[in-house]
Amino acid sequence: MVDLLPSEIKRWQNVESLARQHFDRAGLKEIRTPILELTELFARGIGEGTDVVGKEMYTFSDRGGRSCTLRPEGTASVARSVIENGLLNNGPQRLWYGGPMFRYERPQAGRQRQFHQLGVEFVGLESVLSEAELISIAWDFLKLVGLKGVKLELNSLGTNEDRSCFRKQLKVWLEKKYELLDKDSKQRINVNPLRILDSKNPNTQKLLEDAPSLNEFLSDKSRERFFYLQELLHQLSIPFEVNHKLVRGLDYYSHTAFEITSDQLGSQATVCGGGRYDGLISDLGGGNTPSIGWAIGMERLILLLGDSFTNKDVPCVYLIHRGSNTDGVALDVARKLRFAGIPIELDYSGSTFSKQFKRADRIGAQWALIIGEDELSKEIVMLKKLHSSSSDSLTTQFSFNLNEIDNLITFLKN
Ligand code: ATP
Ligand code: MG
């Protein structure tokens, strides 16, 4: 698990704030669910045969003997909350969430045991139009933060019936190739053969090139849906590729599944994954509620954005002070400026003025505010422009009355 250090945090905050604005503009509402849930929620919601539930969850008994799990993803929790709080009584829900998720995986670049997702869920929406909008919200967000070199891949997993025919045929085919499969895939053959399509093993992927394709098993209705989605994406000028092998890791998907990948992340290529999960809400005890969602991996996104996305966060004012009785006055002035929305940092050192000025320079402040014994006796503060090319102190230095701090505030704001 990884610390997020002050040096990196600005990038996170920028991405988060762009996300919030983007979601607000699309009329999405935020939902925050607990990080801890009963294990049963994920076992039922994600599926026992998946890697996430089978191998990756942080599960323990609490003091009341209940089996609890740190959430490995957000969708099951959102679904639970929507059911429990009767949110669907107010119609379909267009929601977003963000926060830490936990999976016991082998840590590497872009893969951590605590990681963060940003996700959108459309609960109770069935139309292909809602799918196109949901995908466009992800696509536009990645454009908004300036991500380049990304690709949208799309597939249709059809209905349960479509998939069960396919599963049978795929199993027959895989059994013939059993000896050529990797260890993980051999184990999956009986539990969850579709997941083998999702294998990250290159040899298995090569082998699968000749496997039967899910596409051939889609009903006419499923196929029509899929074509309509493609048509809408064309109209939106969102480029995509159809990938019939795209199945996604979790059990609950049906019809549309999609991923947005980058060519710069090695085997951690997926930045955003999503799809339709029509059965989830009813599996968890709610009514029949077609739904669709996606999640973006924040660590991967931020890795990809690299340094392009830092803007140096410099305080406007550095408050230099020295001498008896200046402590309280300095802190008081700082508070007044902060109340007025002006970022200001206070020097604590009591060292020489020149040392304090050096520090102000080092952190890149635009102004130094100076309170020494001399100023205090005259009941003024001095304001000095830093990094100024002009040597004329008349244009770079100003004094303000301590009893009229509002004048200083007005000056700094203009
Ligand atoms: P992968 O195939 O890379 O394991 P996944 O299919 O398990 O991904 P999802 O469950 O769809 O991933 O989660 C959505 C997104 O969350 C992923 O596309 C990825 O960006 C991010 N993500 C998933 N697991 C991790 C992790 N362990 N560390 C960092 N990001 C992750
Ligand atoms: Mg995974």
Side-chain angles (χ1 to χ4, degrees):
M1 297 191 187
V2 175
D3 295 316
L4 269 179
L5 299 174
S7 56
E8 309 155 70
I9 208 70
K10 197 68 207 169
R11 214 178 300 172
W12 281 75
Q13 290 171 340
N14 280 339
V15 173
E16 285 161 1
S17 115
L18 284 172
R20 198 175 293 272
Q21 292 164 25
H22 184 61
F23 297 154
D24 279 350
R25 286 190 292 259
L28 311 186
K29 301 282 183 290
E30 186 182 2
I31 184 164
R32 297 188 192 184
T33 63
I35 284 169
L36 198 64
E37 296 273 2
L38 291 175
T39 305
E40 193 193 311
L41 171 68
F42 303 116
R44 281 210 298 179
I46 303 177
E48 305 268 11
T50 59
D51 279 359
V52 171
V53 173
K55 306 188 209 164
E56 297 174 357
M57 294 205 304
Y58 281 87
T59 297
F60 60 94
S61 293
D62 73 0
R63 286 170 189 273
R66 287 163 296 209
S67 179
C68 298
T69 295
L70 291 173
R71 64 180 185 194
E73 53 104 56
T75 305
S77 305
V78 170
R80 176 202 51 70
S81 178
V82 164
I83 299 169
E84 237 171 68
N85 297 293
L87 298 187
L88 291 165
N89 296 337
N90 305 319
Q93 298 290 305
R94 298 162 75 254
L95 305 169
W96 73 272
Y97 64 85
M101 308 292 162
F102 303 83
R103 295 184 194 177
Y104 193 81
E105 299 196 71
R106 195 168 68 80
Q108 49 202 295
R111 194 176 292 284
Q112 295 172 188
R113 290 180 172 172
Q114 176 176 334
F115 63 101
H116 296 77
Q117 285 185 337
L118 195 61
V120 170
E121 313 287 356
F122 281 7
V123 188
L125 288 169
E126 188 171 24
S127 70
V128 179
L129 175 58
S130 70
E131 296 185 5
E133 185 185 24
L134 179 108
I135 293 174
S136 76
I137 289 173
W139 184 261
D140 295 345
F141 173 63
L142 296 176
K143 291 275 144 194
L144 182 72
V145 297
L147 199 60
K148 304 213 162 63
V150 285
K151 189 166 87 179
L152 169 64
E153 292 180 54
L154 208 59
N155 193 18
S156 172
L157 307 179
T159 59
N160 275 336
E161 295 80 65
D162 302 344
R163 270 195 314 286
S164 82
C165 297
F166 172 61
R167 193 177 290 116
K168 279 189 209 125
Q169 297 287 320
L170 181 67
K171 222 176 126 187
V172 171
W173 188 89
L174 287 166
E175 272 159 358
K176 283 190 207 139
K177 312 275 174 185
Y178 187 80
E179 285 314 318
L180 301 169
L181 293 173
D182 61 272
K183 194 168 140 259
D184 267 357
S185 300
K186 280 179 178 158
Q187 282 170 357
R188 279 181 182 149
I189 237 177
N190 288 314
V191 196
N192 202 339
L194 253 69
R195 293 289 321 287
I196 298 176
L197 300 179
D198 196 31
S199 166
K200 292 199 171 76
N201 184 304
N203 295 332
T204 305
Q205 275 307 333
K206 186 101 190 77
L207 185 72
L208 287 169
E209 279 171 14
D210 304 320
S213 170
L214 175 52
N215 178 46
E216 296 152 26
F217 294 80
L218 293 184
S219 66
D220 288 345
K221 237 175 133 187
S222 300
R223 211 179 291 267
E224 254 167 51
R225 253 197 100 92
F226 192 33
F227 281 140
Y228 186 42
L229 175 63
Q230 295 177 47
E231 198 182 308
L232 287 176
L233 291 174
H234 277 309
Q235 273 187 37
L236 303 175
S237 305
I238 295 179
F240 62 88
E241 273 173 31
V242 173
N243 173 0
H244 291 302
K245 296 227 159 51
L246 194 157
V247 289
R248 313 253 325 113
L250 313 181
D251 261 1
Y252 48 56
Y253 290 107
S254 53
H255 289 300
T256 304
F258 65 96
E259 290 189 349
I260 303 178
T261 54
S262 157
D263 50 10
Q264 291 159 55
L265 278 174
S267 59
Q268 273 64 252
T270 313
V271 192
C272 173
R276 179 162 280 290
Y277 52 91
D278 289 350
L280 178 66
I281 303 270
S282 54
D283 283 356
L284 294 177
N288 176 30
T289 311
S291 302
I292 181 165
W294 54 251
I296 283 177
M298 284 287 282
E299 278 77 9
R300 292 185 197 179
L301 176 59
I302 281 171
L303 252 170
L304 281 170
L305 291 173
D307 290 333
S308 65
F309 214 68
T310 36
N311 56 356
K312 271 200 123 111
D313 196 22
V314 291
C316 175
V317 183
Y318 195 74
L319 205 159
I320 290 170
H321 68 108
R322 180 177 162 84
S324 54
N325 300 323
T326 61
D327 276 0
V329 178
L331 182 53
D332 195 43
V333 169
R335 286 171 68 223
K336 286 180 177 140
L337 263 61
R338 286 173 188 157
F339 260 124
I342 297 167
I344 173 164
E345 236 176 84
L346 188 64
D347 195 289
Y348 303 118
S349 67
S351 54
T352 61
F353 282 120
S354 70
K355 276 192 182 154
Q356 295 193 42
F357 267 110
K358 274 204 189 104
R359 222 166 282 134
D361 270 335
R362 200 180 324 128
I363 65 162
Q366 297 160 41
W367 298 95
L369 198 59
I370 304 124
I371 306 176
E373 285 175 6
D374 202 26
E375 283 77 19
L376 212 54
S377 67
K378 294 181 196 153
E379 298 196 350
I380 57 163
V381 292
M382 295 301 296
L383 181 73
K384 191 175 186 322
K385 180 112 187 101
L386 299 171
H387 316 291
S388 166
S389 53
S390 162
S391 56
D392 180 1
S393 67
L394 281 177
T395 61
T396 59
Q397 204 158 312
F398 311 87
S399 89
F400 294 89
N401 201 316
L402 262 178
N403 300 317
E404 293 166 354
I405 288 299
D406 282 353
N407 293 342
L408 170 65
I409 289 167
T410 312
F411 179 88
L412 282 170
K413 285 197 157 171
N414 297 314

